[in-house]
């Protein structure tokens, strides 16, 4: 099994899920007492969050490149960015290392295509929902029509992610509002929903909806293990 390198801490709440899922999937696939060979480089999310909201993406790209290079030097054979938003600089990070970066949108796109869907709703930070780096990749590589919530709902989702979920706070009122937003998008034509922030699966799960739910944390973890076991 190849060693998986993870850039985490954005937030550590979701990085914890990555670590758990990657090891559970490895044990499922290999049996016995097997667990994943992995390395985790965890950043200080307070610093990351401040730079994001100051629109200092060049500084953030430098931080991510440093993390990726340190993981490669430590022996990682593949690379995961354990957050959707920071895939904004995925191309630059990939260019900085010789090991493959396993893109979260590619993992999600393959899963959506396998389910035969064409139109999906995307929930995430405002950066992920509003900028092109994620939606455009899903459209270009997988032919998907990606819908996003109305502006007021995007602002609400963004606030809940940073002020609740990243702090480990799970509130029933927020869950109810997320389900209302997803319902609105379904009425407008969405046939699935992409949880395009690795914290959202802490709040919303498949059992909450009849609509197909694409949990990018779980999908990315599965993708990474398949790669580590040389099955993709």
């Amino acid at each position: 099994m190849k060693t998986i390198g993870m850039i985490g801490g954005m937030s550590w709440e979701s990085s914890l899920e990555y670590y758990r899922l990657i090891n559970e999937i490895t044990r499922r696939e290999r049996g016995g007492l097997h667990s994943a060979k992995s390395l985790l480089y965890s950043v200080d999310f307070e610093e990351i969050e401040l730079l994001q909201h100051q629109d200092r993406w060049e500084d953030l790209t430098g931080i991510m490149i440093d993390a990726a290079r340190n993981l490669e030097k430590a022996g990682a054979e593949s690379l995961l960015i354990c957050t959707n938003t920071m895939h904004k600089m995925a191309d630059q990070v990939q260019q900085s290392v010789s090991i493959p970066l396993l893109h979260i949108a590619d993992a999600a796109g393959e899963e959506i295509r396998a389910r035969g869907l064409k139109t999906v709703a995307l929930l995430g930070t405002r950066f992920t929902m509003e900028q092109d780096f994620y939606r455009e990749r899903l459209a270009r590589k997988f032919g998907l029509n990606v819908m996003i919530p109305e502006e007021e709902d995007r602002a609400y989702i963004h606030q809940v992610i940073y002020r609740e979920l990243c702090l480990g706070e799970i509130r029933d009122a927020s869950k109810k509002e997320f389900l209302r937003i997803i319902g609105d998008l379904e009425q407008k034509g969405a046939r699935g929903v992409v949880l395009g922030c690795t914290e959202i699966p802490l709040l919303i799960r498949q059992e909450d909806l009849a609509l197909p739910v694409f949990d990018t944390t779980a999908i990315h973890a599965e993708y990474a293990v398949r790669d580590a076991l040389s099955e993709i």
Side-chain angles (χ1 to χ4, degrees):
M1 183 177 189
K2 292 187 286 189
T3 300
I4 302 168
M6 297 180 282
I7 305 176
M10 299 169 282
S11 67
W12 69 258
E13 298 281 347
S14 61
S15 299
L16 181 65
E17 285 297 294
Y18 264 94
Y19 185 75
R20 179 183 64 82
L21 286 165
I22 285 171
N23 282 289
E24 285 183 353
I25 295 164
T26 300
R27 183 170 59 189
R28 182 194 74 200
E29 294 298 315
R30 303 190 71 192
L33 297 175
H34 283 293
S35 55
K37 294 180 179 179
S38 65
L39 295 165
L40 173 63
Y41 187 107
S42 189
V43 301
D44 179 359
F45 191 48
E46 178 78 10
E47 177 184 0
I48 299 296
E49 186 269 343
L50 287 172
L51 291 172
Q52 288 177 338
H53 288 94
Q54 292 169 358
D55 204 30
R56 293 170 60 185
W57 295 100
E58 186 174 343
D59 292 337
L60 287 163
T61 299
I63 291 170
M64 298 296 284
I65 287 173
D66 286 345
R69 287 173 172 168
N70 278 316
L71 284 167
E72 183 174 28
K73 288 176 185 176
E77 297 169 274
S78 65
L79 184 64
L80 297 186
I81 299 174
C82 299
T83 164
N84 287 270
T85 297
M86 298 300 277
H87 279 75
K88 178 178 172 67
M89 64 280 297
D91 289 345
Q92 295 97 312
V93 173
Q94 178 63 92
Q95 291 165 10
S96 74
V97 294
S98 60
I99 58 176
L101 186 154
L102 307 179
H103 201 293
I104 196 168
D106 292 347
E110 286 188 9
E111 185 72 15
I112 296 164
R113 186 166 60 185
R115 297 284 293 273
L117 302 184
K118 289 292 186 181
T119 302
V120 292
L122 172 65
L123 304 188
T125 66
R126 291 194 72 148
F127 311 118
T128 300
M129 291 186 289
E130 295 176 359
Q131 297 181 22
D132 290 337
F133 68 92
Y134 201 95
R135 291 183 292 120
E136 193 276 336
R137 192 178 184 102
L138 289 175
R140 174 174 49 83
K141 292 193 71 173
F142 302 97
L144 298 176
N145 176 32
V146 182
M147 302 172 62
I148 60 174
E150 298 294 333
E151 183 175 0
E152 184 176 345
D153 289 337
R154 296 198 301 270
Y156 177 80
I157 291 167
H158 187 89
Q159 176 180 312
V160 169
I161 290 169
Y162 282 95
R163 300 296 169 241
E164 297 175 26
L165 301 180
C166 287
L167 297 172
E169 296 181 14
I170 310 299
R171 300 181 185 176
D172 289 340
S174 299
K175 181 172 184 174
K176 182 177 179 181
E177 191 65 7
F178 269 57
L179 293 175
R180 192 272 303 165
I181 292 167
I182 293 168
D184 288 349
L185 290 163
E186 182 178 12
Q187 288 184 350
K188 293 175 181 177
R191 294 297 173 259
V193 57
V194 179
L195 305 184
C197 170
T198 53
E199 279 77 32
I200 296 179
L202 302 173
L203 185 69
I204 300 295
R205 300 181 183 276
Q206 180 62 75
E207 53 262 35
D208 298 317
L209 292 159
L211 203 67
V213 171
F214 298 92
D215 175 346
T216 55
T217 304
I219 292 168
H220 204 199
E222 184 90 33
Y223 195 72
V225 174
R226 285 167 48 212
D227 174 77
L229 296 174
S230 298
E231 294 177 6
I232 63 173

